[in-house]
Amino acid sequence: MWQRAGRRTNLALLGLLVLAMVTGVLAFAFGTPVQSALVAYAHGAAGLGLPLLIPWKTVIARRGWRRRTAHVWGRRVLGISLTVVVLGAVLSGVGEAWGGYRDYFGVTDNQVHVGLALVGVPLLLAHLIRHRPRPRRADLSRRVALRTASLAVGSLAAYVALEGVGRALRLPLGPTTSTGSTEAGTDVPDQMPVVTWLLDGVPAGQNTWHLEVVAAGRSSFWEVADLSAYGDSVRATLDCTGGWYATQNWSGVRLDRLVPARAYGSLKITSVTGYHRLLPASEASKLWLATDAGGQPLSAGHGAPLRLVAPDRRGFWWVKWVTRVELVDTPWWLQPPFPTQ
């Protein structure tokens, strides 16, 4: 059976790799239960479907090693590198699923997983340049469709089995969300990991801090005590793309108290570091600027003196160290899906 391995095996591997990469990107975007669960299952199934094709890919690799063609060693090095990166990404993904949010010498499974995926993109492109797949009419046959369906079912079964084993062994240590994040610091703010997006860092002391709100061409300035006095509270889950989540009682001021109600435009939330996000102005009543978490003032690492609380959005939307809120005409979707600063 394995001797039939060939072009279609390679196409199946390519399809799974592309699906895994696309769903990996989407996994960072969705925070609502249904969307994130669907993406998580698709991502996990695509990743675990890759090892299922190892027996067939091994046969193809052996055939390639027997050939004596020009630049053979360059192709071998490229193929081996891509294989190592892909297997490393799969194993680190399994490690995160079973081990939860843990760091090893300052590096987490999630960081290894994402890092290897990013390294895999140029390797995959280089591999495709050397081995360009050419579409054929036979690729749309009923037999191919059945084989594709069988692979999809097998991949999904592998993902379900992985989750089942993890639950049987009570791994990871703590409940997870639909995004796969592990609990870390719920109702104990000091136990939440201190993380930032990309190269953003915890700013130094902010003794002269104040919040500037710009709307309708006018600016107003607020101190922490003024905002805290509103006492608006919400229980919301901060689900970080780093692989952890924490549910807290956040307290501060609801954003629609500071800006006029408006059905169009966006709210530009800016950090003292320059980091910013645009959110729909129509959602102002569903957003909070928090000064406290769990009944105590925010710590510097968690956004003090003021951070955005955006329920049902991933952690990178929860802007820390907010210093400016501006009502702008730019549509909220007219920005990079993920911050670049």
Side-chain angles (χ1 to χ4, degrees):
M1 177 181 63
W2 293 348
Q3 279 66 31
R4 298 178 182 176
R7 178 175 172 279
R8 290 171 184 171
T9 299
N10 288 332
L11 288 176
L13 285 168
L14 175 60
L16 288 174
L17 281 171
V18 171
L19 178 60
M21 291 177 178
V22 170
T23 52
V25 173
L26 292 177
F28 279 0
F30 294 128
T32 53
V34 175
Q35 292 173 319
S36 57
L38 290 174
V39 171
Y41 268 87
H43 183 66
L48 292 178
L50 295 168
L52 296 180
L53 294 174
I54 287 179
W56 289 269
K57 185 60 179 177
T58 301
V59 173
I60 298 172
R62 286 176 178 172
R63 292 174 188 162
W65 276 74
R66 295 193 195 105
R67 296 173 187 156
R68 298 186 179 276
T69 58
H71 310 296
V72 66
W73 280 107
R75 293 185 179 184
R76 288 177 180 177
V77 170
L78 179 59
I80 292 173
S81 299
L82 181 58
T83 300
V84 170
V85 166
V86 170
L87 290 179
V90 172
L91 291 175
S92 56
V94 173
E96 181 184 8
W98 279 358
Y101 182 83
R102 295 182 182 181
D103 68 86
Y104 307 91
F105 305 102
V107 180
T108 66
D109 285 316
N110 181 270
Q111 290 172 325
V112 174
H113 184 69
V114 174
L116 288 174
L118 293 175
V119 171
V121 172
L123 290 177
L124 178 60
L125 291 176
H127 189 73
L128 289 176
I129 291 174
R130 286 180 174 271
H131 305 277
R132 298 178 185 176
R134 300 180 184 279
R136 297 177 182 175
R137 186 172 297 179
D139 294 335
L140 301 177
S141 67
R142 182 172 176 271
R143 177 177 295 181
V144 172
L146 290 174
R147 288 178 178 175
T148 302
S150 298
L151 178 60
V153 171
S155 301
L156 187 59
Y159 182 74
V160 172
L162 178 74
E163 279 202 333
V165 171
R167 288 173 182 168
L169 299 176
R170 297 184 178 181
L171 300 173
L173 301 179
T176 61
T177 63
S178 56
T179 62
S181 298
T182 307
E183 190 277 330
T186 290
D187 291 323
V188 188
D190 291 340
Q191 293 184 9
M192 289 194 302
V194 175
V195 295
T196 57
W197 181 262
L198 296 182
L199 301 178
D200 215 13
V202 179
Q206 303 181 57
N207 298 326
T208 60
W209 180 92
H210 62 259
L211 173 69
E212 180 182 10
V213 178
V214 182
R218 298 181 180 179
S219 294
S220 58
F221 298 88
W222 302 78
E223 302 298 329
V224 176
D226 300 326
L227 301 172
S228 181
Y230 279 98
D232 295 332
S233 62
V234 61
R235 187 166 179 80
T237 298
L238 170 56
D239 192 345
C240 181
T241 54
W244 62 272
Y245 78 91
T247 303
Q248 310 289 353
N249 291 317
W250 308 89
S251 178
V253 58
R254 206 175 59 231
L255 207 47
D256 63 337
R257 293 183 182 272
L258 305 181
V259 296
R262 191 170 175 179
Y264 62 93
S266 304
L267 293 170
K268 184 178 181 180
I269 316 296
T270 304
S271 168
V272 70
T273 66
Y275 180 95
H276 66 270
R277 287 269 84 189
L278 294 173
L279 294 104
S282 58
E283 294 184 7
S285 62
K286 302 176 183 178
L287 301 170
W288 283 258
L289 292 175
T291 59
D292 300 75
Q296 61 189 42
L298 294 170
S299 66
H302 293 132
L306 193 69
R307 79 170 300 162
L308 181 68
V309 173
D312 293 331
R313 291 182 182 270
R314 300 303 297 273
F316 65 84
W317 290 92
W318 295 45
V319 181
K320 294 181 179 181
W321 313 295
V322 177
T323 188
R324 180 183 173 92
V325 176
E326 183 179 6
L327 194 57
V328 298
D329 293 328
T330 305
W332 72 272
W333 45 264
L334 196 60
Q335 64 181 330
F338 304 107
T340 57
Q341 64 269 55

